[in-house]
Amino acid sequence: MRGSGSRSERAGRVRGDRPVAGQALDLLSARGETLAVAESLTGGLVAAELTGVPGASRAFRGSVTAYATDLKRDVLGVPGALLAERGAVDAEVARLLARGVRGVLGADWGLATTGVAGPEPQDGQPVGTVYVAVAGPRETVTAVRLRLEGDRAAVRGASVRAVLELLRDELIGHGPPQEGEQTGGNGCLQP
């Protein structure tokens, strides 16, 4: 699949009826690349979605569930000063988490989720404020802010879908701008 066909042809071949986690893993496997995940608000749900796909071990290296702020700092390398100044719910924190997990777990690609699932606001951010990020092998990092609706489970589920869609789109080659904002009604990621 690598290098064959246009971006839209490649996108058409991977989308079909396959779940987005499977699509992303297929793309990674075809490229001979690997993935690691840093999760905060999703608490391991991204890793569970990925490992639910048969053959995930061809591309998925592992994950770090860094729920506590000190783990974001000490394990994944997010500067303590940044966390103290902005809190964990921040685009730059998401970018650094994606870069950090990529380095710590020796993967080509890193994903990150951080945000507020509720029921209470956190770090001055309302419930449903989420940042997802993907760090690629060419040192490019994309972070997207989401404003999600629903209860805690809905926000977490929509965050999982959003970060996997972001990865898939980056792999296909037509992801969103370096930093964008997307709003999801009823848990949907929308342009």
Side-chain angles (χ1 to χ4, degrees), residues 14-189:
V14 296
R15 289 199 175 150
D17 292 334
R18 190 144 163 82
V20 69
Q23 295 170 26
L25 289 167
D26 289 347
L27 288 163
L28 287 164
S29 293
R31 296 161 75 131
E33 295 176 339
T34 57
L35 173 66
V37 180
E39 299 189 64
S40 185
L41 86 147
T42 51
L45 294 174
V46 177
E49 189 74 14
L50 289 163
T51 58
V53 176
S57 61
R58 291 188 315 263
F60 183 61
R61 290 199 40 84
S63 66
V64 174
T65 300
Y67 212 64
T69 300
D70 61 318
L71 292 178
K72 292 172 181 72
R73 180 192 66 226
D74 298 343
V75 175
L76 296 172
V78 178
L82 177 68
L83 290 164
E85 178 186 330
R86 298 186 193 173
V89 184
D90 178 78
E92 186 60 19
V93 171
R95 285 185 195 97
L96 292 170
L97 289 170
R99 272 192 190 132
V101 78
R102 184 176 163 256
V104 167
L105 297 185
D108 297 299
W109 292 83
L111 292 182
T113 63
T114 186
V116 186
E120 301 295 326
Q122 177 186 334
D123 296 335
Q125 300 288 342
V127 173
T129 302
V130 175
Y131 290 91
V132 295
V134 58
R138 291 178 294 283
E139 299 304 319
T140 58
V141 182
T142 301
V144 175
R145 180 181 181 173
L146 309 171
R147 293 178 188 252
L148 302 171
E149 298 174 2
D151 64 10
R152 184 173 176 82
V155 169
R156 293 175 77 204
S159 299
V160 171
R161 283 187 301 279
V163 77
L164 291 171
E165 287 172 357
L166 179 62
L167 172 64
R168 179 201 57 207
D169 292 348
E170 288 291 314
L171 288 164
I172 290 170
H174 47 83
Q178 274 297 51
E179 182 173 345
E181 183 169 315
Q182 298 186 12
T183 303
N186 298 324
C188 295
L189 178 66

